[in-house]
Amino acid sequence: MVYKQRFQNPNYKNTASKNYAHVRYIATRPRVAKNEGMNHGLFGCLKPGTSMTEFQDWKDVARLVYQNSRRHVTMYRSVVSFGEDTAKELLLTDKKAWERYIENHIRTIAEKNGIRREHFQWAAALHREKSHPHLHVVFWDDSDEKAKIKNPFTHPSVPNNIRRQMIKDTFADRIRAYGEEKTRAAADLRKISNSLVDDFERHIRLLGNKRYRKLREEYDLDAELAEDFDFSDSTLNETADKVFRLKSALPPKGRIAYQLLPEELKKQVDALTAYLLAQVPELKKLREDYVESKMKMVHLYGGSEEYLSSQRKKFEAEADKIIANRILGMVKTLNRLDDEGRAAEYREGRKKYYVEQMVLEMLDMLSSLVDTNCRQYDDFEKAWQGELSKEARKELYLKYQDKGYEH
């Protein structure tokens, strides 16, 4: 289990807009588990003492978070994450199960952060990542007393104690069984001690150290996007303008694919790709991560400097093509809206929404591919260390090299 917690300093000038963007990200990013009949997945409780609810509009929560941030209220951001196998074992197989889980444990988060129940407000969303399904939880204290804190600080022991308590409550039976295996007296196991939880957690980590490390890395990548993803209005408007100019230049019917475009339209798509890479640092970083994840396999097999350079250029072109096809995917969506007589949906203010979704899909696609590449590398590395001839290793390398995104 991974639990992490952080916050943007409420005294910084851009904190309110970043917190708004964070809520938007967790509520609407690709693979979010959406509320029934809605275009987002945000749920939680804004009225202490009432039941958890699925919010009708994520913007209502985002605006409240923005207003609180302007009042210098600290907006805490946390993530609860399990490996895929553990989530299945805990029967966390759908959104409702995750909602019940966090509702049962949300008091732990409040109490360990010193927030009284009557002042605790929170919102959450489930992200269905295959290897590490996880919940993003935004929470805060709405009391005037907390709003006055000028230099907020959370001691590292707070998230550590939250994780420890959630492990106690989630895995109580397994921890007791583990203690009994260690020949401890049954009487000592009536109350699960912190030291036993720590010992159990170390034991689990040692059993799957590589998997646990990977889980932490995957969380860190997602948290980095959730924390930093934001657009300026100028970037949104410029991107929307370029997308709609491209839309008007393409035929409204028929297949739209990068490799089938005339050269001058390819140049237009390439220019938009280059613009996005220059304006969205997260996208540029994921492009670099994609290339490096592919190059790991190449370096394992080896080759001349010229060969390595040619492979790097090849993978850079692949990454750019992924971005280009996401752009063209948005053009297809806009054409479909035209066919359905819903063109008004993307006029003016809605243009920004569709542009944001387009870039989120790019980030999501590249993030997933980086993860897939790293997993394939791990599998390949294990096979490589076996008793294989040079020719067999070459065949294995070529087999794995051909796996991945279909353009």
Side-chain angles (χ1 to χ4, degrees):
M1 175 184 174
V2 170
Y3 178 84
K4 281 200 172 185
Q5 180 178 306
R6 63 187 72 183
F7 61 86
Q8 290 278 337
N9 191 308
N11 301 312
Y12 291 172
K13 190 174 182 180
N14 61 351
T15 291
S17 61
K18 280 186 171 291
N19 284 338
Y20 184 99
H22 178 79
V23 173
R24 176 185 61 200
Y25 173 85
I26 68 171
T28 65
R29 70 155 288 183
R31 287 209 293 273
V32 67
K34 294 180 180 178
N35 300 335
E36 188 174 353
M38 303 182 202
N39 64 355
H40 71 92
L42 210 61
F43 62 91
C45 184
L46 301 181
K47 294 180 181 178
T50 61
S51 300
M52 181 197 69
T53 186
E54 293 183 343
F55 302 117
Q56 289 295 314
D57 191 341
W58 66 266
K59 291 192 184 88
D60 293 337
V61 180
R63 289 188 194 105
L64 177 60
V65 166
Y66 182 88
Q67 290 163 3
N68 284 339
S69 299
R70 293 292 299 272
R71 293 196 299 120
H72 302 288
V73 177
T74 303
M75 297 287 111
Y76 296 95
R77 309 172 181 184
S78 66
V79 165
V80 180
S81 180
F82 294 103
E84 184 181 9
D85 293 341
T86 305
K88 287 179 181 176
E89 181 184 335
L90 296 172
L91 303 180
L92 297 174
T93 54
D94 59 28
K95 185 172 182 287
K96 292 297 181 185
W98 279 91
E99 287 179 356
R100 288 192 295 271
Y101 179 85
I102 195 59
E103 190 172 26
N104 289 336
H105 295 275
I106 198 70
R107 287 183 183 175
T108 295
I109 296 175
E111 289 168 5
K112 299 296 183 185
N113 278 281
I115 304 176
R116 296 177 63 174
R117 236 180 260 180
E118 61 267 29
H119 295 301
F120 185 73
Q121 298 183 347
W122 62 280
L126 169 63
H127 291 178
R128 288 177 176 165
E129 300 294 337
K130 184 177 180 183
S131 59
H132 64 295
H134 58 275
L135 277 170
H136 284 273
V137 185
V138 179
F139 63 93
W140 61 94
D141 186 325
D142 76 336
S143 67
D144 290 338
E145 179 186 351
K146 287 286 183 178
K148 294 174 183 175
I149 294 178
K150 297 302 179 187
N151 295 298
F153 170 72
T154 300
H155 195 277
S157 64
V158 172
N160 187 48
N161 288 337
I162 291 171
R163 188 190 72 256
R164 184 185 285 153
Q165 186 62 49
M166 290 179 76
I167 289 174
K168 278 186 189 181
D169 297 337
T170 303
F171 301 104
D173 292 340
R174 285 182 61 184
I175 295 171
R176 290 192 182 96
Y178 170 74
E180 288 169 359
E181 287 175 9
K182 302 275 285 185
T183 68
R184 299 183 181 181
D188 294 336
L189 298 172
R190 289 173 189 162
K191 182 179 180 181
I192 298 173
S193 67
N194 287 343
S195 61
L196 180 57
V197 172
D198 293 342
D199 195 19
F200 172 75
E201 193 175 12
R202 280 193 296 271
H203 171 70
I204 296 299
R205 287 187 193 180
L206 285 173
L207 288 179
N209 189 40
K210 202 166 193 177
R211 181 182 296 179
Y212 182 82
R213 188 171 66 249
K214 190 71 180 164
L215 184 64
R216 299 275 298 202
E217 290 170 355
E218 288 165 343
Y219 160 75
D220 286 337
L221 175 61
D222 188 72
E224 182 180 321
L225 294 177
E227 181 165 328
D228 297 329
F229 176 75
D230 200 4
F231 277 148
S232 67
D233 284 340
S234 60
T235 299
L236 285 174
N237 291 331
E238 182 68 20
T239 303
D241 183 59
K242 291 177 184 293
V243 168
F244 277 82
R245 268 189 279 162
L246 179 64
K247 176 183 178 295
S248 64
L250 287 167
K253 303 287 184 183
R255 186 182 173 197
I256 300 175
Y258 181 81
Q259 64 266 29
L260 301 178
L261 294 178
E263 280 305 314
E264 52 189 59
L265 286 181
K266 277 186 181 178
K267 289 179 181 178
Q268 200 170 331
V269 175
D270 292 343
L272 179 48
T273 298
Y275 174 79
L276 287 169
L277 288 170
Q279 297 297 319
V280 185
E282 298 84 4
L283 187 61
K284 183 179 179 181
K285 183 181 183 302
L286 274 176
R287 177 185 183 268
E288 293 167 357
D289 290 346
Y290 176 83
V291 173
E292 291 306 320
S293 68
K294 298 284 277 188
M295 286 299 295
K296 281 170 71 176
M297 191 86 78
V298 178
H299 283 298
L300 191 62
Y301 186 74
S304 66
E305 287 298 323
E306 184 180 357
Y307 173 73
L308 294 175
S309 178
S310 68
Q311 289 296 295
R312 180 174 291 277
K313 289 177 181 176
K314 172 188 170 185
F315 299 141
E316 287 172 350
E318 280 184 11
D320 290 346
K321 196 171 180 183
I322 292 166
I323 296 170
N325 279 320
R326 289 298 94 192
I327 293 169
L328 294 173
M330 179 51 61
V331 171
K332 293 176 190 176
T333 297
L334 298 175
N335 284 340
R336 177 177 55 78
L337 291 174
D338 279 342
D339 289 342
E340 295 172 1
R342 295 161 58 195
E345 284 196 15
Y346 57 71
R347 287 181 187 148
E348 301 311 323
R350 293 289 287 179
K351 288 183 179 180
K352 293 182 181 179
Y353 169 80
Y354 283 106
V355 167
E356 287 174 344
Q357 287 300 109
M358 179 185 75
V359 180
L360 280 169
E361 288 170 7
M362 293 173 186
L363 293 167
D364 188 64
M365 173 69 80
L366 285 171
S367 175
S368 298
L369 288 171
V370 169
D371 179 54
T372 299
N373 293 342
C374 290
R375 288 178 184 279
Q376 288 176 359
Y377 173 81
D378 289 341
D379 292 342
F380 178 74
E381 190 178 31
K382 288 177 189 174
W384 186 270
Q385 292 168 355
E387 297 295 325
L388 294 176
S389 66
K390 185 175 181 180
E391 189 61 31
R393 288 180 177 181
K394 184 175 181 180
E395 289 179 7
L396 186 64
Y397 165 71
L398 292 173
K399 171 189 170 184
Y400 276 90
Q401 186 190 40
D402 289 340
K403 286 187 176 182
Y405 178 69
E406 295 295 331
H407 301 295

